[in-house]
Amino acid sequence: GADSLELLSAIDRAALARGLRQDVLLEINIGAESSKSGFAPEAVPHILEKAAEFGSVRVRGLMAIPPICASEDEIRPYFSRMQQLFVDNGGKKYDNVHMDFLSMGMSADYSAAIECGANMVRVGAAIFGARIYR
């Protein structure tokens, strides 16, 4: 996901140079965690307006990795807030913005994410097993 206007601009330049139109998701820091990058939820309307200026980038939706939570009940408010951002901003008309995808949830919490509106989840660990870090 694109997590800054600088990255959106760089993607736009690279896509333009190759004659492409690059689809991106905006990465939202839904938990306001200092250890994570991403746009603040309240900045989404402004970022979508700015994205309209990038002719070789098309914003296709939002993505987030919420804070690690002990239970699905704890993580649901983050997923619900993302779903509300997606709905609130998806109906607005911006050039180069076609809000189709809400990406949130991973192997441990994908069912709660889907119940809260995710239509794209990351379930690599459920398929390939846990990563081994050295």
Side-chain angles (χ1 to χ4, degrees):
D3 62 3
S4 68
L5 283 173
E6 293 78 16
L7 182 55
L8 278 174
S9 180
I11 293 169
D12 183 64
R13 288 191 307 273
L16 180 64
R18 291 168 180 79
L20 303 174
R21 187 121 187 237
Q22 183 61 53
D23 291 343
V24 299
L25 300 179
L26 297 182
E27 183 176 337
I28 309 303
N29 187 345
I30 197 65
E33 295 173 275
S34 61
S35 62
K36 290 184 181 170
S37 60
F39 297 107
E42 57 274 7
V44 171
H46 171 71
I47 300 307
L48 293 174
E49 287 177 18
K50 296 298 287 180
E53 299 172 11
F54 299 121
S56 295
V57 168
R58 180 173 44 209
V59 175
R60 296 295 304 275
L62 305 176
M63 64 145 312
I65 300 173
I68 295 172
C69 295
S71 70
E72 283 191 1
D73 288 339
E74 289 179 30
I75 203 164
R76 280 181 195 280
Y78 296 105
F79 289 154
S80 295
R81 186 161 184 218
M82 279 298 297
Q83 198 267 348
Q84 194 62 53
L85 277 173
F86 182 71
V87 169
D88 289 349
N89 292 285
K92 298 176 183 175
K93 300 297 178 198
Y94 299 100
D95 290 340
N96 306 323
V97 176
H98 304 278
M99 300 283 275
D100 301 312
F101 298 104
L102 177 56
S103 175
M104 56 186 188
M106 298 193 293
S107 295
D109 54 26
Y110 76 90
S111 59
I114 291 170
E115 289 172 13
C116 292
N119 57 16
M120 183 183 290
V121 294
R122 294 173 300 282
V123 292
I127 297 169
F128 301 110
R131 291 184 190 175
I132 298 171
Y133 295 96
R134 295 178 189 187

